[in-house]
């Protein structure tokens, strides 16, 4: 943990600017308008869900809404559509309990290989497990209506590569966690990081499957990350 | 490669670009498509002008207190367990990165797209210094360029605009590809090829869209997912950032991300927007060793100068997507890794006037770039400022053009000289005129147009019509004098009748 060459570097910048260093706090920074907070802020819960669905589907996302009781059937149908292959799940016991998924996991494990992103395993093991998995089913933290985005902070039980190495990806998210825009969720994370409530090295905002237009501007869906994405919104109120 | 991609004169590069009809068609198609997507996404957001004002305010704030924000950011990176290296020059940056590569014993490096690493010529320098080292660009476009013997990018967002699918196929066939030229099949081949490489990588190098001062995280905006794999798999990550990439808070970064995505590709957000830092306790992937290299490399020349606002740039490429000159000559015509209006302003600052004195003239000054810029950089005014410095302060206009401008200055300074020049204009330029057949194009100037000619005359006539001036007896002044003489004057008998 070292900082190299800082003082001479910053002194030179200060000289170029013609102002002394350490003046920032004398002029508090206030945004000249509140558009990021105000845009879409007046949408109702139903309107947010509709917008999230429309935006996500425009991004080639399969978007489904279900009650808690219907979740296992939707996941069964999804896996049937994907076909054979290893399933990777996060090690998130609280989330599994919250969504009452343990019985479903036990049943699935009888039919196909089910592996976990394991906080006790090493890097190579978790990477290999993710790479070998045909499909990942993970937990999204929030869903952003405007951009069709799920947010996923990295945890010991759901690492970074979990979201990128498997071929197919499904994210489960609570309906009460649909927010209008990235502004709201970024403020939540910023506050939680500063208060110490959230300890993470990485937060992903994921909007649909990976894509590229690098060859003749032709849209290719599925480049380095998952080839397709499914969001399942679970009614929780 | 470095910032300068060619040492040929601008006009020679332009003529080469004009030969590349596929490139010209691709640029036109991209500009048109991006225009629709960009404007639709901005309209859907609403209040775009107020968003621009906010974006400008955030970027101006960051620059005004740049030393303070960089200090805060570096303190937070250190607090998070990372190292920060302040590099005054590109050599300082490359030397430090090479030191890290050696210390970690890295053998396989993966990189995600980063303009600043291209600017400091990092890839080729690392490979030259370390025999046996493998380095792979993993962004699809950058991968294509690397495998095509490090071809130059032509756009900062769409680097391979100048390549068609057959060319990409040929490049991939050298790597074992046996399929057709379908872009989907080509991309799937790249995915498989690079995935194997990713899984064995021990060091990742990324750029940085924004660096968050108050928590020490970096923010990356991508579509393919390669940057996130670069940040997830290797044990060591080196972030290379231009020093102006700083923003005060996560929310400032998020606001600019929204503006960047809409301005660059017409998306509300790209597929992946990520905030990250080095690994924390309990996590098993992500970088255990996290380094940030903050690069000046002559950016500080702009600070405190009339060019400071160019450092507001968020690298969306919208200015080149509306530029009529870029549409005509493409990225390679500029001879800089930063093409378009952004490059015409930034390249002379980073690389000096000696290398890039022609670029500020590669503009029609129509101002479309200024209007489209999401953070309100007055690009066309900065181009005029460059021209003023080149001509008035540095006196860099030499040769025939300079003589001609001086002659014009003298000629227009004395009425009798100006009248003489007008009188003999037809005679003087007639040897250069091409009369041609009379048709719609030359119907109103049947004497024809001047073709070619020395210095400024040739430069003008190459791309615009320069009608041959009329004979002196047919000139407007002569016509007016005759017409006036035949007009009845006040007091004449006819006028009083």
């Amino acid at each position: 943990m070292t900082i190299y060459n800082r003082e001479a570097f910053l002194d030179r910048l200060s000289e170029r600017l013609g102002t002394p260093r350490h003046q920032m706090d004398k002029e508090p920074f206030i945004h000249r308008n509140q558009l990021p907070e105000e845009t879409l802020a007046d949408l109702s819960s139903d309107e947010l869900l509709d917008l999230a669905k429309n935006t996500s589907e425009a991004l080639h996302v399969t978007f489904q809404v279900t009650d808690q009781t219907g979740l296992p059937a939707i996941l069964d149908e999804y896996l049937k559509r994907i076909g054979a292959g290893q399933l990777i799940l996060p090690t998130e016991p609280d989330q599994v309990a919250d969504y009452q998924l343990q019985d479903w996991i036990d049943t699935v494990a009888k039919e196909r290989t089910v592996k976990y992103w394991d906080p006790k395993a090493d890097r190579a093991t978790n990477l290999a497990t993710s790479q070998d998995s045909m499909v990942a089913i993970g937990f999204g933290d929030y869903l952003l209506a405007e951009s069709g985005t799920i947010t996923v902070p990295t945890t010991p039980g759901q690492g970074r590569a979990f979201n990128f190495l498997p071929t197919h990806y499904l994210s489960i998210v609570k309906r009460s966690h649909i927010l209008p825009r990235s502004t709201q969720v970024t403020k939540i994370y910023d506050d939680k990081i500063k208060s110490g409530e959230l300890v993470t090295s990485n937060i992903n905002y994921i909007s649909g499957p990976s894509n590229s237009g690098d060859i003749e501007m032709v849209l290719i869906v599925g480049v380095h990350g998952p080839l397709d994405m499914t969001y399942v919104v679970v009614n929780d109120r | 490669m470095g910032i300068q991609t060619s040492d040929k004169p601008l006009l020679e590069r332009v003529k080469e670009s004009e030969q590349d009809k596929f490139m010209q068609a691709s640029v036109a198609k991209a500009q048109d498509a991006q225009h629709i997507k960009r404007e639709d996404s901005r309209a859907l957001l609403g209040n775009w002008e107020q968003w621009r004002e906010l974006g400008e305010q955030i970027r101006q704030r960051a620059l005004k207190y740049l030393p303070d924000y960089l200090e805060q950011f570096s303190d937070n990176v250190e607090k998070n367990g990372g190292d920060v290296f302040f590099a005054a020059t590109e050599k300082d940056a490359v030397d430090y990165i090479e030191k890290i590569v050696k210390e970690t014993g890295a053998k396989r490096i993966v990189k995600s797209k980063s303009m600043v690493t291209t600017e400091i010529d990092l890839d080729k320098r690392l490979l030259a210094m370390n025999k046996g080292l493998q380095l792979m660009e993993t962004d699809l476009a950058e991968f294509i360029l690397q495998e095509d013997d490090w071809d130059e990018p032509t756009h900062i967002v769409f680097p391979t605009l100048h390549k068609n699918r057959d060319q990409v196929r040929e490049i991939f066939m050298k790597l074992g590809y046996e399929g057709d030229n379908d872009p989907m099949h080509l991309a799937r081949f790249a995915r498989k090829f690079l995935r194997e490489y990713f899984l064995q990588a021990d060091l990742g190098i990324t750029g940085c869209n924004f660096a968050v001062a108050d928590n020490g995280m970096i923010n990356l905006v991508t579509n393919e997912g390669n940057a996130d794999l670069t940040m997830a798999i290797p044990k060591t990550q080196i972030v290379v950032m231009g020093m102006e990439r700083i923003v005060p808070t996560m929310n400032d970064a998020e606001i600019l991300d929204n503006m960047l995505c809409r301005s660059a590709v017409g998306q509300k957000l790209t597929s992946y927007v990520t905030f990250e830092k080095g690994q924390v306790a309990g996590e098993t992937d992500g970088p255990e060793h996290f380094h940030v290299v903050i690069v000046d490399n002559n950016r500080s020349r702009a600070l405190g100068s009339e060019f400071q606002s160019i450092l507001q740039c968020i690298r969306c490429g919208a200015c080149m997507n509306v530029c009529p000159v870029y549409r005509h000559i493409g990225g390679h015509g500029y001879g800089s890794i930063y093409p378009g209006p952004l490059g015409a302003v930034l390249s002379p600052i980073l690389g000096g006037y000696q290398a890039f004195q022609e670029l500020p003239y590669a503009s029609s000054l129509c101002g479309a770039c200024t209007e489209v810029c999401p953070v309100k950089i007055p690009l066309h005014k900065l181009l005029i400022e460059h021209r003023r410095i080149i001509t008035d302060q540095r006196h860099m206009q030499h040769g025939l053009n300079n003589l001609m401008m001086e002659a014009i200055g003298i000629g227009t300074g004395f009425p009798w000289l100006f009248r003489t020049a007008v009188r003999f204009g037809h005679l003087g330029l007639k040897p250069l005129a091409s009369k041609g057949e009379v048709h719609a194009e030359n119907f109103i100037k049947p004497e024809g147009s001047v073709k070619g000619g020395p210095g400024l005359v040739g430069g003008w006539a190459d791309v615009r019509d320069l009608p041959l001036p009329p004979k002196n007896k047919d000139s407007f002044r002569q016509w007016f004098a005759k017409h006036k003489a035949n007009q009845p004057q006040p007091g004449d008998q006819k006028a009083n009748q």
Side-chain angles (χ1 to χ4, degrees):
Chain A
M1 288 86 82
T2 311
I3 300 173
Y4 301 93
N5 307 334
R6 182 168 77 177
E7 294 311 303
F9 188 103
L10 298 185
D11 284 346
R12 195 179 66 256
L13 300 191
S14 177
E15 194 178 316
R16 289 287 311 176
L17 283 164
T19 52
R21 292 170 59 185
H22 306 132
Q23 304 295 307
M24 182 172 79
D25 293 339
K26 293 179 183 170
E27 186 191 355
F29 184 34
I30 300 164
H31 287 172
R32 65 175 43 141
N33 64 53
Q34 302 304 309
L35 280 173
E37 292 81 6
E38 292 166 357
T39 302
L40 303 179
D42 57 350
L43 295 191
S44 68
S45 169
D46 287 347
E47 287 170 329
L48 283 175
L49 180 64
D50 284 347
L51 180 59
K53 183 174 190 298
N54 292 337
T55 315
S56 302
E57 288 177 346
L59 297 172
H60 309 279
V61 170
T62 303
F63 191 98
Q64 291 182 283
V65 185
T66 180
D67 291 329
Q68 177 64 58
T69 51
L71 181 58
I74 281 188
L75 298 180
D76 282 338
E77 180 61 30
Y78 171 72
L79 289 179
K80 192 174 163 190
R81 199 165 64 242
I82 294 299
Q86 179 172 296
L87 165 67
I88 184 169
L89 296 168
T91 301
E92 297 283 3
D94 291 347
Q95 300 261 36
V96 170
D98 216 13
Y99 288 107
Q100 300 171 34
L101 282 174
Q102 192 56 57
D103 289 347
W104 176 79
I105 293 170
D106 293 342
T107 307
V108 171
K110 292 174 188 164
E111 297 163 1
R112 70 169 71 215
T113 305
V114 176
K115 294 279 181 80
Y116 289 85
W117 183 279
D118 183 358
K120 292 178 184 157
D122 60 15
R123 173 191 300 265
T125 304
N126 277 324
L127 293 178
T129 305
S130 301
Q131 168 65 18
D132 292 342
S133 295
M134 176 63 71
V135 55
I137 295 181
F139 299 111
D141 199 7
Y142 289 93
L143 172 60
L144 311 181
E146 182 193 43
S147 51
T149 304
I150 53 152
T151 64
V152 189
T154 294
T155 65
Q158 187 168 332
R160 300 184 187 202
F162 178 96
N163 304 314
F164 294 92
L165 289 177
T167 310
H168 308 279
Y169 190 95
L170 181 146
S171 183
I172 302 169
V173 64
K174 292 174 183 164
R175 179 166 175 179
S176 63
H177 279 210
I178 302 179
L179 298 173
R181 306 186 61 253
S182 50
T183 296
Q184 287 81 10
V185 81
T186 304
K187 181 162 184 358
I188 290 171
Y189 289 136
D190 194 25
D191 290 346
K192 283 185 175 179
I193 288 170
K194 282 174 179 155
S195 71
E197 187 183 342
L198 176 63
V199 179
T200 181
S201 70
N202 186 74
I203 305 169
N204 292 119
Y205 296 18
I206 301 173
S207 308
S210 63
N211 68 77
S212 172
D214 282 342
I215 302 174
E216 290 192 12
M217 304 282 292
V218 175
L219 178 67
I220 305 295
V221 177
V223 187
H224 291 290
L227 300 183
D228 56 63
M229 295 283 286
T230 299
Y231 301 164
V232 179
V233 177
V234 179
N235 289 313
D236 60 335
R237 58 183 173 190
Chain B
M1 185 177 297
I3 183 170
Q4 191 172 5
T5 58
S6 168
D7 52 10
K8 292 176 184 171
L10 175 66
L11 289 179
E12 195 174 327
R13 295 197 303 267
V14 168
K15 288 199 185 306
E16 285 177 2
S17 296
E18 283 174 341
Q19 306 300 316
D20 191 344
K21 298 302 176 196
F22 175 79
M23 179 279 294
Q24 286 189 319
S26 296
V27 168
K29 180 181 163 192
Q31 284 193 331
D32 295 344
Q34 289 307 316
H35 174 82
I36 294 167
K37 290 172 75 177
R38 182 183 61 246
E39 296 310 316
D40 282 355
S41 70
R42 289 174 170 184
L44 200 57
L45 179 66
N47 303 301
W48 181 247
E49 281 310 305
Q50 287 72 40
W51 280 92
R52 288 180 82 208
E53 288 170 7
L54 183 58
E56 178 191 38
Q57 185 197 19
I58 293 168
R59 295 304 294 138
Q60 288 185 343
R61 168 80 182 190
L63 294 175
K64 183 176 181 182
Y65 295 109
L66 186 60
D68 292 355
Y69 282 123
L70 286 174
E71 183 173 355
Q72 188 185 23
F73 173 70
S74 53
D75 279 341
N76 282 319
V77 173
E78 186 185 37
K79 207 181 294 176
N80 296 338
D83 291 339
V84 183
F85 185 87
F86 284 86
T89 66
E90 61 180 40
K91 182 179 183 309
D92 293 346
V94 175
D95 286 350
Y96 176 77
I97 295 166
E98 192 202 7
K99 181 169 99 53
I100 300 302
V101 170
K102 281 183 179 166
E103 282 176 2
T104 56
K107 297 291 180 205
R108 292 170 76 94
I109 296 177
V110 280
K111 272 191 77 232
S112 63
K113 185 173 179 299
S114 152
M115 290 304 297
V116 70
T117 59
T118 309
E119 178 188 317
I120 64 175
D121 207 9
L122 181 63
D123 293 9
K124 282 195 264 186
R125 289 188 185 191
L126 280 181
L127 289 170
M129 289 174 202
N130 299 272
K131 302 297 176 198
L133 182 74
Q134 290 181 290
L135 182 148
M136 192 64 76
E137 290 284 354
T138 59
D139 173 83
L140 180 56
E142 297 288 340
F143 173 60
I144 292 167
L145 294 177
Q146 177 180 354
E147 295 304 324
D148 194 22
D149 195 22
W150 303 98
D151 190 15
E152 303 164 32
T154 197
H155 192 286
I156 64 171
V157 179
F158 312 107
T160 47
L161 259 185
H162 58 296
K163 291 203 182 299
N164 64 39
R165 61 184 75 193
D166 292 321
Q167 292 169 313
V168 175
R169 178 172 176 262
E170 275 182 32
I171 294 164
F172 283 4
M173 285 177 81
K174 294 180 207 159
L175 303 172
Y177 179 70
E178 293 176 340
D180 59 15
N181 66 359
D182 185 324
M184 174 70 87
H185 299 154
L186 293 163
R188 289 286 187 273
F189 171 78
R191 172 190 173 93
K192 185 171 184 302
F193 186 93
L194 290 169
R195 179 63 68 88
E196 288 166 12
Y197 202 92
F198 264 122
L199 292 169
Q200 297 176 56
D202 41 26
L203 191 145
I205 298 176
T206 68
C208 165
N209 287 99
F210 301 107
V212 181
D214 78 345
N215 69 10
M217 297 182 95
I218 67 152
N219 172 220
L220 272 173
V221 177
T222 63
N223 261 323
E224 293 182 10
N226 62 307
D228 287 278
L229 288 173
T230 303
M231 295 187 282
I233 294 173
K235 284 185 179 177
T236 302
Q237 182 186 347
I238 302 174
V239 180
V240 189
M241 58 175 270
M243 66 179 191
E244 79 283 10
R245 298 290 100 208
I246 202 85
V247 290
T249 66
M250 278 181 82
N251 267 105
D252 291 322
E254 173 269 328
I255 289 167
L256 294 173
D257 288 344
N258 272 270
M259 303 183 75
L260 170 62
C261 296
R262 285 171 170 84
S263 301
V265 285
Q267 291 173 270
K268 292 161 186 161
L269 287 179
T270 51
S271 294
Y272 303 112
V273 173
T274 304
F275 291 92
E276 72 114 24
K277 60 182 181 180
Q279 190 187 78
V280 301
E283 295 175 352
T284 50
D285 65 348
E288 294 168 21
H289 311 288
F290 185 78
H291 303 265
V292 181
V293 181
I294 299 174
V295 179
D296 179 342
N297 201 30
N298 294 330
R299 285 164 173 74
S300 53
R301 285 177 180 168
L303 278 185
S305 79
E306 55 275 66
F307 297 108
Q308 182 165 310
S309 58
I310 195 63
L311 299 181
Q312 291 168 209
C313 177
I314 59 174
R315 303 289 191 269
C316 66
C319 59
M320 51 202 80
N321 290 344
V322 297
C323 178
V325 174
Y326 181 85
R327 189 181 185 96
H328 192 67
I329 69 174
H332 292 178
Y334 289 82
S336 165
I337 62 160
Y338 298 111
L342 155 70
V345 175
L346 186 63
S347 304
I349 295 167
L350 300 183
Y353 283 118
Q354 207 58 49
F356 293 110
Q357 62 169 302
E358 295 164 315
L359 280 195
Y361 295 89
S363 167
S364 66
L365 300 179
C366 67
C369 49
T370 298
E371 279 187 28
V372 82
C373 177
V375 289
K376 299 187 77 168
I377 302 171
L379 285 154
H380 74 288
K381 291 182 181 169
L382 299 182
L383 289 170
I384 294 170
E385 191 58 25
H386 269 315
R387 295 182 187 190
R388 189 189 65 75
I389 291 171
I390 289 166
T391 53
D392 293 354
Q393 282 185 16
R394 301 209 171 199
H395 305 292
M396 295 177 80
Q397 289 287 324
H398 302 297
L400 186 57
N401 281 357
N402 207 28
L403 276 176
M404 291 180 79
M405 289 305 288
E406 283 183 23
I408 290 169
I410 294 168
T412 54
F414 298 93
W416 65 270
L417 260 179
F418 183 76
R419 281 196 298 273
T420 305
V422 168
R423 180 171 296 168
F424 292 104
H426 177 85
L427 206 57
L429 289 171
K430 196 169 184 184
L432 302 173
S434 158
K435 190 170 182 180
E437 292 177 19
V438 176
H439 51 76
E441 195 173 72
N442 69 357
F443 186 73
I444 58 168
K445 46 182 188 295
E447 289 287 350
S449 295
V450 175
K451 301 290 180 192
L456 294 172
V457 175
W460 180 278
D462 274 354
V463 292
R464 295 179 177 87
D465 288 337
L466 178 58
L468 182 66
K471 293 173 182 170
N472 186 47
K473 69 180 177 64
D474 299 328
S475 72
F476 173 75
R477 284 170 184 273
Q478 293 289 338
W479 173 86
F480 186 76
K482 280 182 199 165
H483 191 72
K484 193 175 177 186
N486 291 334
Q487 287 289 311
Q489 300 298 311
D492 283 358
Q493 283 188 348
K494 282 183 185 175
N496 293 331
Q497 284 177 355

